[in-house]
Amino acid sequence: MKKSSFLAMWGWPLALAVLSASGLASALVSDTWGDWWSWLGLGLPVAVMGWHAWPRSRALPAPVAPASHHRCGADNACTPHSTHR
Amino acid sequence: MLSPVAIRRWSWVHQWSSLVCTVFMLLLCLTGLPLVFHHEIGHLLDTEVETPAMPANTPRASLDQVLAAAQALHPQRVVQFASQPEDGDALWFVTLTPTPAPTDDFKSIAVDARTGAVLSERPVGEGFMHVMFRLHVDLFAGLAGKLFLGLMGLLLLVAIVTGVVLYAPFMRKLRFGEVRQHRSTRVKWLDLHNLLGIVTLTWALVVGATGMVNTWADLVIQYWQHDQLSALLKPYEGQPIVPAIERGPLQHSLEAAQAKAPGTRLSFIAFPGTSFSSPHHNTFFLRGNTPLTSRLLQPVLVDARTAQVTAAPQLPWYVTALLVSQPLHFGDYGGMPMKIIWALLDIATIAVLGSGLYLWVRRKAPAAATQTPSTPPGKGQPLVATALTHGKHTA
C-alpha cells in the first residue's frame, strides 16, 4: 500500500486512537492538566462521531484528494477536513 | 490487502463473536449507563449518607467506639469490614454479616467518625441501582455469572479486533466518516457501524478489557492470599480465628498501621477470618495520596491480639493491574465531564451493537437484487461479505 493511501485510510482512525489513549491515561496520573487533557482527548472523538453521523439533508460532494478537500454541511458551514492534522 | 477468502474468514469470526455476545453487551451498556452516575443518582434518590458539618479539627471517635456503635445494632453479627469513603474521613461504613465468610447477607451501618453516632443503616440489596449493579456485575449468579460475563467480554474484544481488520476493505472507496445517507437504509447503517466502531475503538477496547479483568477480581484476590499471604502466616499455622474477646484495641492497630505507611489514607479494614485478611490479623488497606497511588492499596497486617504490625507486603503486579484497571472501567477518575463523555461513548457503543445486529438481520434482503453472479446470496453467506458486495454495487 502506498503511503498516501495508507494515511487516507488510517490517518483519522490512528489520530483518534492515539488521542483517546492519551486521554484515558492522562487523567490517571494528574488531577489538573491530566483531567483537562482527558476531556479533550476523549471528547474530540465524540465530536468527530457526532459531526459525521449527524443526518444531512443534502448529498455530500464527491471524494477528492484527502490532503486538501473541504467539506460543507447542510448549513453551508465549511470545515477543513484533512487526514494530515 | 485481504484476499476474498481471508475477508470471508475474518467476517465469519467477526459475525459470530459479536452475535454471541451482543445481547449481553447491550445489557452491560444499558446497565452501565446509570452506574457511571451512581454517585449523583444516589444523591438524587437520597440514599447517600450526609455527614453533619463540623469544624475540620473536631476530634475523632476511636475506632473501637465506632465499631461498638455499629455492633450494638446487630449484636448477633460479626464485623467483616470497615471503610472510609474516598472523599472524606468524617464517615465510617461498617459491614456486619452472620459469619466472617463471604456472603450477600450483610448490613452496612454508617457511623459519624467524629461523634461515633450511628447516622444510618444503608439499605443494601434492594432498589433500582442494586438491580442495575447486579445485572452488570454477575447477572445475579455470583462468581459463575461474573466469569460468564468475562467470557462475553473476551468475545467483544475478538469482535473489535476483527472489526478493525475488516474496516479497510469496507472503506477502500470511502472517505473517513462518509455516511451514504441517500442509499438504502442498510448502507447508511453499514457506514454508521464502521464510523462509530472505528472511532470508539480505543475506548471500547480499554473498557472491554478492564471489565473482563474485573470479572476475575475474586480469583485474583484468592490467588494473592495463597501466593503471598500464606508465607507470611506460617507462624500462625493451625491457630483458630482470634476470638473477639482476645483482640487488642483497634485504635492501636490503626495507629500502628498508619505509622508503618506514612502519607497514606485508610481505604478499608478487613477483620480476622474475612476474605481480605487472615484469621489472626486486622488487615488495613491504605491508599496513597497522589492521583495514581490513590488507586493502589498498601496492605498492613496487624496482629489482632497484640496490635503489632506483622508485615506490610508490596502488592504483586497482578493486584496492581487489577486496581488500576478499575478506574479505567468505571470512568470515575476525571470528574463530571469525563462521566458525560463516558456516557456518550457508551451510547455510541450501543449504536454499534444495534447496527451490527440490524446488518445481520437484514443481511440478505435488499442485497439480493444487486448481488454479483460470483457471490450468490445463499446459506452461510457471511454477513460482511454480503455487505461488502452490496456496498460496492451501490457505491
Side-chain angles (χ1 to χ4, degrees), chain A residues 1 8-10 12-13 16-18 20-21 23-31 35 38-40 42-43 45-46 48-49 52-64 69-71 81 83, chain B residues 1 164-165 167-169 171-179 181-182 192 195-203 206-207 290-293 295 324 327-328 333-338 341-342 344-345 348:
Chain A
M1 199 184 279
M9 170 84 67
W10 291 106
W12 272 98
L16 294 176
V18 170
S20 304
L24 287 168
S26 71
L28 273 182
V29 294
S30 156
D31 277 344
D35 279 4
S38 77
W39 302 338
L40 185 78
L42 292 166
V46 172
V48 168
M49 267 193 302
H52 286 294
W54 202 258
R56 301 188 194 194
S57 55
R58 204 153 56 92
L60 294 169
V64 286
H69 78 260
H70 289 238
R71 160 172 293 198
H81 182 79
T83 51
Chain B
M1 204 163 138
V164 173
V165 172
Y167 179 79
M171 297 300 290
R172 190 136 287 136
K173 294 190 170 169
L174 297 174
R175 280 171 304 166
F176 170 79
E178 189 172 344
V179 179
Q181 305 272 5
H182 303 286
L192 282 170
L195 166 65
L196 301 186
I198 202 73
V199 175
T200 55
L201 163 68
T202 307
W203 180 84
V206 167
V207 173
T290 68
L292 189 59
T293 59
R295 299 289 169 180
V324 171
L328 286 168
Y333 62 112
M336 186 43 97
M338 181 184 265
I341 293 169
W342 225 255
L344 292 171
L345 287 163

Side-chain angles (χ1 to χ4, degrees), chain A residues 5 22 63 78:
Chain A
S5 67
S22 71
C78 295

Side-chain angles (χ1 to χ4, degrees), chain B residues 109-178:
Chain B
I109 313 291
V111 181
D112 192 312
R114 289 84 45 102
T115 62
V118 171
L119 289 175
S120 79
E121 179 162 351
R122 273 202 297 187
V124 289
E126 59 181 71
F128 172 73
M129 291 307 280
H130 175 72
V131 173
M132 292 298 109
F133 180 77
R134 292 297 302 270
L135 284 175
H136 193 86
V137 170
D138 66 357
L139 299 171
F140 290 94
L143 182 61
K146 283 184 190 175
L147 295 177
F148 175 77
L149 289 178
L151 184 66
M152 294 300 111
L154 181 65
L155 286 176
L156 174 77
L157 299 182
V158 172
I160 292 174
V161 171
T162 52
V164 173
V165 172
L166 290 166
Y167 179 79
F170 272 94
M171 297 300 290
R172 190 136 287 136
K173 294 190 170 169
L174 297 174
R175 280 171 304 166
F176 170 79
E178 189 172 344

Side-chain angles (χ1 to χ4, degrees), chain B residues 129-391:
Chain B
M129 291 307 280
H130 175 72
V131 173
M132 292 298 109
F133 180 77
R134 292 297 302 270
L135 284 175
H136 193 86
V137 170
D138 66 357
L139 299 171
F140 290 94
L143 182 61
K146 283 184 190 175
L147 295 177
F148 175 77
L149 289 178
L151 184 66
M152 294 300 111
L154 181 65
L155 286 176
L156 174 77
L157 299 182
V158 172
I160 292 174
V161 171
T162 52
V164 173
V165 172
L166 290 166
Y167 179 79
F170 272 94
M171 297 300 290
R172 190 136 287 136
K173 294 190 170 169
L174 297 174
R175 280 171 304 166
F176 170 79
E178 189 172 344
V179 179
R180 290 164 291 176
Q181 305 272 5
H182 303 286
R183 314 273 179 195
S184 69
T185 315
R186 207 169 155 284
V187 170
K188 183 176 85 184
W189 280 105
L190 172 65
D191 290 348
L192 282 170
H193 184 77
N194 289 338
L195 166 65
L196 301 186
I198 202 73
V199 175
T200 55
L201 163 68
T202 307
W203 180 84
L205 267 181
V206 167
V207 173
T210 52
M212 182 176 73
V213 167
N214 270 294
T215 64
W216 306 330
D218 296 356
L219 300 179
V220 167
I221 297 298
Q222 275 176 26
Y223 178 74
W224 172 56
Q225 289 180 316
H226 166 79
D227 175 40
Q228 202 175 50
L229 296 190
S230 47
L232 290 172
L233 298 178
K234 209 75 178 162
Y236 297 89
E237 218 169 359
Q239 295 179 23
I241 295 179
V242 181
I245 194 82
E246 294 174 23
R247 294 179 194 173
L250 275 169
Q251 186 63 33
H252 290 181
S253 296
L254 173 63
E255 283 159 15
Q258 282 173 328
K260 184 79 186 174
T264 57
R265 295 201 303 120
L266 183 77
S267 175
F268 72 96
I269 312 166
F271 293 103
T274 61
S275 55
F276 285 82
S277 190
S278 89
H280 328 286
H281 292 87
N282 298 310
T283 305
F284 296 79
F285 288 86
L286 305 163
R287 62 167 129 240
N289 46 19
T290 68
L292 189 59
T293 59
S294 71
R295 299 289 169 180
L296 303 177
L297 294 171
Q298 171 61 58
V300 181
L301 282 82
V302 181
D303 189 296
R305 272 180 229 269
T306 64
Q308 299 292 310
V309 172
T310 301
Q314 278 294 310
L315 281 189
W317 66 269
Y318 49 85
V319 178
T320 302
L322 174 69
L323 291 171
V324 171
S325 79
Q326 288 180 338
L328 286 168
H329 188 74
F330 304 153
D332 62 351
Y333 62 112
M336 186 43 97
M338 181 184 265
K339 291 186 185 187
I340 292 169
I341 293 169
W342 225 255
L344 292 171
L345 287 163
D346 184 272
I347 291 166
T349 305
I350 293 174
V352 175
L353 294 166
S355 57
L357 203 56
Y358 169 82
L359 291 169
W360 180 74
V361 170
R362 299 285 307 269
R363 65 195 176 283
K364 288 169 197 164
T370 54
Q371 286 296 328
T372 51
S374 60
T375 54
K379 275 188 289 182
Q381 173 81 348
L383 155 76
V384 185
T386 316
L388 200 57
T389 49
H390 178 50

